[in-house]
Amino acid sequence: MWRDLLSVYYANTPVWRWLKSGALIFLGFFAWTSGAVLLSVRPEWEFLTYVMAYGFLLLFWGPFTHFVVVPVSIRLRRTAEHPYVRAVNRHSGKINLSIFFTLVIVFGTFTPGIMMFEFAPGLGGGDGDRGEVRGNLVCDVDDDVVSCHVEDARGIDHVVATSGGTVVATVDDPPFAFEVHADDLDETRTGKELVVDYRDGDGETLRRHVRTF
């Protein structure tokens, strides 16, 4: 099985390059986006940042491996004469994977902004009710004060802002503007976190936004 896996890894015809790169891009995009969606709904699942980092890096590392690393490694096997170069090239696959997973750990731990997504999933009500709920959450930070309001609000009875499970603001009237001091926000691995729920008259959550600062 290991030999079969290596034979696929080192398959270097143009068709194999495109097939392997395409499959890894698809896997990477799926892991990145699905991890982001789950993290927006379950921000306490911090391990998802590593799933996102794996998918995000795989988008670039997969094609790089099979269009650059593998062809160069095969060429060096035939042409390299220096003992050091031949020794390093003999372990090129392990070195490549080691660098990749090291970057996954680094990106998953420090979560650069370019890797993060923000989603506003619908959480309650029927499909008809959900379509009537609108509103663009706009937040700004000035002197450690987070100021938010909802533009073009529709179908929202009131807005509740929480952080770390604690309610930090409740607003009943459009444009649902509120201010929260940054020190009152819960610190997570991705930064200060603010969860804003659009709710109906019964207190049911219609939309949820997760912001980090």
Side-chain angles (χ1 to χ4, degrees):
M1 185 180 297
W2 177 246
R3 290 179 180 274
D4 291 339
L5 183 62
L6 286 179
S7 66
V8 173
Y9 179 83
Y10 282 107
N12 194 43
T13 62
V15 173
W16 269 111
R17 293 181 193 177
W18 284 105
L19 283 175
K20 291 185 292 184
S21 297
L24 291 175
I25 289 174
F26 178 82
L27 175 61
F29 186 76
F30 175 79
W32 182 22
T33 55
S34 60
V37 172
L38 287 175
L39 186 63
S40 70
V41 179
R42 296 289 184 181
E44 66 274 14
W45 292 358
E46 297 185 353
F47 70 89
L48 289 173
T49 58
Y50 295 98
V51 178
M52 293 177 61
Y54 174 80
F56 176 75
L57 290 170
L58 200 58
L59 293 175
F60 308 96
W61 208 268
F64 172 75
T65 295
H66 294 291
F67 277 97
V68 178
V69 175
V70 171
V72 170
S73 177
I74 293 175
R75 188 176 299 110
L76 287 177
R77 281 186 178 184
R78 300 169 180 169
T79 61
E81 298 180 357
H82 195 284
Y84 179 77
V85 175
R86 295 181 66 88
V88 171
N89 186 62
R90 194 160 48 246
H91 301 285
S92 61
K94 296 177 182 178
I95 295 172
N96 182 53
L97 290 176
S98 297
I99 295 173
F100 173 73
F101 284 111
T102 299
L103 289 175
V104 169
I105 294 174
V106 172
F107 275 58
T109 301
F110 296 103
T111 55
I114 192 176
M115 194 184 78
M116 301 302 294
F117 280 137
E118 290 180 338
F119 289 86
L123 299 177
D127 292 338
D129 295 337
R130 232 176 258 174
E132 295 299 321
V133 178
R134 299 178 185 176
N136 180 33
L137 180 66
V138 178
C139 293
D140 297 305
V141 182
D142 185 22
D143 293 332
D144 292 330
V145 175
V146 180
S147 303
C148 298
H149 68 278
V150 180
E151 294 181 346
D152 302 323
R154 180 177 177 182
I156 303 171
D157 182 78
H158 61 284
V159 169
V160 177
T162 61
S163 185
T166 302
V167 176
V168 294
T170 300
V171 193
D172 297 319
D173 300 315
F176 304 106
F178 63 90
E179 292 184 350
V180 180
H181 200 279
D183 291 339
D184 295 331
L185 300 181
D186 188 53
E187 182 74 40
T188 67
R189 182 175 297 173
T190 57
K192 298 280 188 177
E193 184 177 81
L194 178 66
V195 180
V196 180
D197 291 341
Y198 300 167
R199 298 190 180 183
D200 61 16
D202 297 324
E204 295 293 329
T205 299
L206 304 173
R207 292 287 188 274
R208 171 169 292 171
H209 293 268
V210 180
R211 296 287 188 268
T212 53
F213 306 94

Short mmCIF file of all heavy atoms in Angstrom, two decimals, residues 154-181:
data_model
loop_
_atom_site.label_atom_id
_atom_site.label_comp_id
_atom_site.label_asym_id
_atom_site.label_seq_id
_atom_site.Cartn_x
_atom_site.Cartn_y
_atom_site.Cartn_z
N ARG A 154 -34.36 44.92 8.37
CA ARG A 154 -35.72 44.55 8.02
C ARG A 154 -36.05 43.21 8.67
O ARG A 154 -35.26 42.28 8.64
CB ARG A 154 -35.88 44.43 6.50
CG ARG A 154 -37.28 44.03 6.05
CD ARG A 154 -37.39 44.00 4.55
NE ARG A 154 -38.70 43.56 4.11
CZ ARG A 154 -39.06 43.40 2.85
NH1 ARG A 154 -38.19 43.69 1.88
NH2 ARG A 154 -40.27 42.98 2.54
N GLY A 155 -37.21 43.13 9.28
CA GLY A 155 -37.65 41.88 9.91
C GLY A 155 -36.98 41.59 11.23
O GLY A 155 -37.04 40.46 11.71
N ILE A 156 -36.34 42.60 11.83
CA ILE A 156 -35.62 42.42 13.10
C ILE A 156 -36.39 43.14 14.20
O ILE A 156 -36.69 44.33 14.09
CB ILE A 156 -34.19 42.98 13.02
CG1 ILE A 156 -33.42 42.33 11.86
CG2 ILE A 156 -33.45 42.76 14.33
CD1 ILE A 156 -32.08 42.97 11.58
N ASP A 157 -36.73 42.41 15.27
CA ASP A 157 -37.41 43.04 16.40
C ASP A 157 -36.42 43.71 17.33
O ASP A 157 -36.63 44.84 17.77
CB ASP A 157 -38.22 42.00 17.18
CG ASP A 157 -38.98 42.61 18.35
OD1 ASP A 157 -40.02 43.22 18.11
OD2 ASP A 157 -38.49 42.47 19.49
N HIS A 158 -35.33 43.01 17.65
CA HIS A 158 -34.29 43.59 18.49
C HIS A 158 -32.98 42.87 18.24
O HIS A 158 -32.95 41.79 17.63
CB HIS A 158 -34.66 43.55 19.98
CG HIS A 158 -34.85 42.16 20.53
ND1 HIS A 158 -35.98 41.40 20.28
CD2 HIS A 158 -34.04 41.39 21.30
CE1 HIS A 158 -35.87 40.23 20.89
NE2 HIS A 158 -34.70 40.19 21.51
N VAL A 159 -31.90 43.48 18.70
CA VAL A 159 -30.55 42.94 18.51
C VAL A 159 -29.92 42.71 19.87
O VAL A 159 -30.01 43.56 20.76
CB VAL A 159 -29.68 43.92 17.68
CG1 VAL A 159 -28.22 43.50 17.72
CG2 VAL A 159 -30.18 43.97 16.24
N VAL A 160 -29.28 41.54 20.02
CA VAL A 160 -28.59 41.19 21.26
C VAL A 160 -27.13 40.90 20.94
O VAL A 160 -26.83 40.07 20.07
CB VAL A 160 -29.24 39.98 21.95
CG1 VAL A 160 -28.47 39.60 23.21
CG2 VAL A 160 -30.69 40.27 22.29
N ALA A 161 -26.23 41.58 21.64
CA ALA A 161 -24.79 41.35 21.48
C ALA A 161 -24.26 40.62 22.70
O ALA A 161 -24.54 41.01 23.83
CB ALA A 161 -24.06 42.68 21.29
N THR A 162 -23.51 39.56 22.46
CA THR A 162 -22.92 38.78 23.55
C THR A 162 -21.44 38.57 23.29
O THR A 162 -20.96 38.68 22.15
CB THR A 162 -23.61 37.42 23.71
OG1 THR A 162 -23.44 36.67 22.48
CG2 THR A 162 -25.08 37.57 24.00
N SER A 163 -20.73 38.21 24.35
CA SER A 163 -19.32 37.87 24.23
C SER A 163 -18.98 36.90 25.36
O SER A 163 -19.22 37.20 26.53
CB SER A 163 -18.43 39.11 24.33
OG SER A 163 -17.08 38.78 24.09
N GLY A 164 -18.49 35.73 24.99
CA GLY A 164 -18.20 34.72 25.99
C GLY A 164 -19.43 34.25 26.74
O GLY A 164 -19.36 33.83 27.89
N GLY A 165 -20.61 34.32 26.08
CA GLY A 165 -21.85 33.90 26.70
C GLY A 165 -22.51 34.96 27.56
O GLY A 165 -23.60 34.75 28.10
N THR A 166 -21.90 36.14 27.68
CA THR A 166 -22.43 37.24 28.49
C THR A 166 -23.03 38.32 27.59
O THR A 166 -22.40 38.73 26.62
CB THR A 166 -21.33 37.86 29.36
OG1 THR A 166 -20.76 36.85 30.20
CG2 THR A 166 -21.89 38.98 30.23
N VAL A 167 -24.24 38.76 27.92
CA VAL A 167 -24.89 39.82 27.14
C VAL A 167 -24.20 41.15 27.45
O VAL A 167 -24.10 41.56 28.61
CB VAL A 167 -26.39 39.92 27.48
CG1 VAL A 167 -27.02 41.08 26.74
CG2 VAL A 167 -27.10 38.61 27.13
N VAL A 168 -23.73 41.82 26.41
CA VAL A 168 -23.05 43.10 26.58
C VAL A 168 -23.87 44.27 26.05
O VAL A 168 -23.58 45.42 26.34
CB VAL A 168 -21.66 43.08 25.90
CG1 VAL A 168 -20.74 42.09 26.59
CG2 VAL A 168 -21.77 42.75 24.41
N ALA A 169 -24.91 43.98 25.26
CA ALA A 169 -25.77 45.06 24.75
C ALA A 169 -27.05 44.46 24.20
O ALA A 169 -27.05 43.38 23.61
CB ALA A 169 -25.06 45.87 23.66
N THR A 170 -28.16 45.20 24.40
CA THR A 170 -29.46 44.85 23.82
C THR A 170 -30.09 46.13 23.27
O THR A 170 -30.18 47.13 23.99
CB THR A 170 -30.41 44.23 24.86
OG1 THR A 170 -29.81 43.03 25.39
CG2 THR A 170 -31.74 43.86 24.23
N VAL A 171 -30.50 46.11 21.99
CA VAL A 171 -31.03 47.30 21.34
C VAL A 171 -32.37 46.95 20.70
O VAL A 171 -32.48 45.94 20.01
CB VAL A 171 -30.06 47.85 20.28
CG1 VAL A 171 -30.49 49.24 19.85
CG2 VAL A 171 -28.64 47.88 20.79
N ASP A 172 -33.38 47.81 20.91
CA ASP A 172 -34.73 47.53 20.43
C ASP A 172 -35.14 48.34 19.20
O ASP A 172 -36.10 47.97 18.53
CB ASP A 172 -35.75 47.81 21.55
CG ASP A 172 -35.54 46.89 22.75
OD1 ASP A 172 -35.27 45.70 22.53
OD2 ASP A 172 -35.64 47.37 23.90
N ASP A 173 -34.44 49.43 18.90
CA ASP A 173 -34.89 50.32 17.83
C ASP A 173 -33.83 50.46 16.74
O ASP A 173 -32.63 50.55 17.03
CB ASP A 173 -35.19 51.72 18.40
CG ASP A 173 -36.28 51.67 19.46
OD1 ASP A 173 -37.29 50.99 19.24
OD2 ASP A 173 -36.10 52.31 20.53
N PRO A 174 -34.29 50.49 15.47
CA PRO A 174 -33.35 50.74 14.37
C PRO A 174 -32.67 52.08 14.54
O PRO A 174 -33.29 52.99 15.10
CB PRO A 174 -34.26 50.72 13.13
CG PRO A 174 -35.50 49.98 13.57
CD PRO A 174 -35.66 50.30 15.02
N PRO A 175 -31.44 52.22 14.08
CA PRO A 175 -30.62 51.24 13.35
C PRO A 175 -29.88 50.26 14.26
O PRO A 175 -28.84 49.72 13.87
CB PRO A 175 -29.62 52.14 12.60
CG PRO A 175 -29.43 53.30 13.54
CD PRO A 175 -30.77 53.54 14.17
N PHE A 176 -30.40 50.05 15.48
CA PHE A 176 -29.82 49.08 16.41
C PHE A 176 -28.34 49.38 16.69
O PHE A 176 -27.47 48.51 16.60
CB PHE A 176 -29.97 47.66 15.87
CG PHE A 176 -31.39 47.29 15.56
CD1 PHE A 176 -31.84 47.21 14.26
CD2 PHE A 176 -32.29 47.04 16.59
CE1 PHE A 176 -33.17 46.88 13.97
CE2 PHE A 176 -33.62 46.71 16.32
CZ PHE A 176 -34.06 46.63 15.00
N ALA A 177 -28.08 50.65 17.00
CA ALA A 177 -26.70 51.08 17.27
C ALA A 177 -26.35 50.83 18.74
O ALA A 177 -27.17 51.03 19.64
CB ALA A 177 -26.54 52.56 16.94
N PHE A 178 -25.11 50.40 18.97
CA PHE A 178 -24.64 50.19 20.34
C PHE A 178 -23.12 50.31 20.37
O PHE A 178 -22.45 50.21 19.34
CB PHE A 178 -25.08 48.83 20.89
CG PHE A 178 -24.53 47.65 20.13
CD1 PHE A 178 -23.32 47.06 20.48
CD2 PHE A 178 -25.22 47.12 19.04
CE1 PHE A 178 -22.81 45.97 19.79
CE2 PHE A 178 -24.72 46.02 18.34
CZ PHE A 178 -23.52 45.45 18.71
N GLU A 179 -22.60 50.50 21.56
CA GLU A 179 -21.15 50.59 21.77
C GLU A 179 -20.75 49.65 22.89
O GLU A 179 -21.47 49.51 23.89
CB GLU A 179 -20.74 52.02 22.13
CG GLU A 179 -20.90 53.02 21.00
CD GLU A 179 -20.37 54.40 21.37
OE1 GLU A 179 -20.06 54.60 22.58
OE2 GLU A 179 -20.26 55.26 20.49
N VAL A 180 -19.61 49.02 22.72
CA VAL A 180 -19.08 48.09 23.72
C VAL A 180 -17.60 48.37 23.88
O VAL A 180 -16.87 48.51 22.88
CB VAL A 180 -19.29 46.62 23.30
CG1 VAL A 180 -18.74 45.68 24.36
CG2 VAL A 180 -20.76 46.33 23.04
N HIS A 181 -17.14 48.42 25.12
CA HIS A 181 -15.71 48.62 25.35
C HIS A 181 -14.97 47.31 25.07
O HIS A 181 -15.44 46.22 25.41
CB HIS A 181 -15.45 49.06 26.78
CG HIS A 181 -14.11 49.73 26.96
ND1 HIS A 181 -12.94 49.01 27.09
CD2 HIS A 181 -13.75 51.04 26.99
CE1 HIS A 181 -11.93 49.84 27.22
NE2 HIS A 181 -12.39 51.09 27.15
#
